[in-house]
Amino acid sequence: MSERGKDQQVRAMTRAEREAFLAEPHIAVVSVTGEAGRGPLSVPLWYGYTPGGDITLITALDSRKAALVRRHGRLSLCVQRTEPPRTYVSVEGPVVEFRAPATLDERRSLAHRYLGAAAGDAFVEASAGRTARSVLIRVRPEHWISRGAS
């Protein structure tokens, strides 16, 4: 038996489990097809998700990742918990919205998710100039891979 113990087995998560896990504020590693002759671009990002809905990302409109997402129209996103029980959810799907700029309220919502209300408001206020140069990317989850402990 592995070091997890005899009563913990790694298994695919149910739909409800994987959606609940994805709804937690993990840092996502987002991957998108790269340019010819290069591997995929993979970068950590904040994201938003409500079970049953789409994934939202906000990034700089002039970034390499935004250009690649616009060009290819699909991406993968992976979140994980590294401490036991080790758990991950990986999801891939089409971009269903690519809109610039993201709104101040959309930026604030992500900042609150990761930093809390007060620190999130301070972050958005201190970086308000980024709003005009941002893009909201909405992804429809299509293919899922997940593992968790039973």
Side-chain angles (χ1 to χ4, degrees):
M1 237 340 105
S2 72
E3 62 189 52
R4 271 188 215 86
K6 294 180 182 181
D7 55 347
Q8 277 194 353
Q9 304 255 335
V10 175
R11 61 167 176 77
M13 300 165 97
T14 66
R15 178 180 180 162
E17 289 170 333
R18 71 185 185 209
E19 288 186 353
F21 185 78
L22 188 60
E24 296 172 6
H26 303 282
I27 302 299
V29 174
V30 175
S31 297
V32 62
T33 302
E35 298 91 346
R38 293 188 67 176
L41 173 68
S42 296
V43 293
L45 282 177
W46 289 352
Y47 70 96
Y49 177 74
T50 301
D54 294 334
I55 298 164
T56 57
L57 308 162
I58 296 176
T59 193
L61 181 59
D62 63 353
S63 67
R64 179 174 171 230
K65 66 184 154 291
L68 290 170
V69 167
R70 177 180 274 172
R71 180 179 312 142
H72 298 290
R74 295 187 81 80
L75 60 81
S76 296
L77 178 143
C78 184
V79 297
Q80 67 176 347
R81 180 181 302 125
T82 57
E83 66 279 352
R86 289 171 184 82
T87 306
Y88 73 87
V89 169
S90 179
V91 62
E92 181 262 327
V95 173
V96 295
E97 183 178 9
F98 188 96
R99 178 179 38 82
T103 68
L104 202 56
D105 285 342
E106 289 164 338
R107 289 189 67 231
R108 185 176 290 111
S109 176
L110 275 184
H112 283 192
R113 174 176 162 85
Y114 287 92
L115 303 174
D121 287 343
F123 172 81
V124 170
E125 185 176 318
S127 63
R130 292 183 190 171
T131 302
R133 299 183 321 270
S134 67
V135 61
L136 176 95
I137 300 167
R138 189 174 308 279
V139 178
R140 176 106 353 109
E142 196 172 73
H143 303 287
W144 297 76
I145 301 171
S146 62
R147 295 289 179 264
S150 56

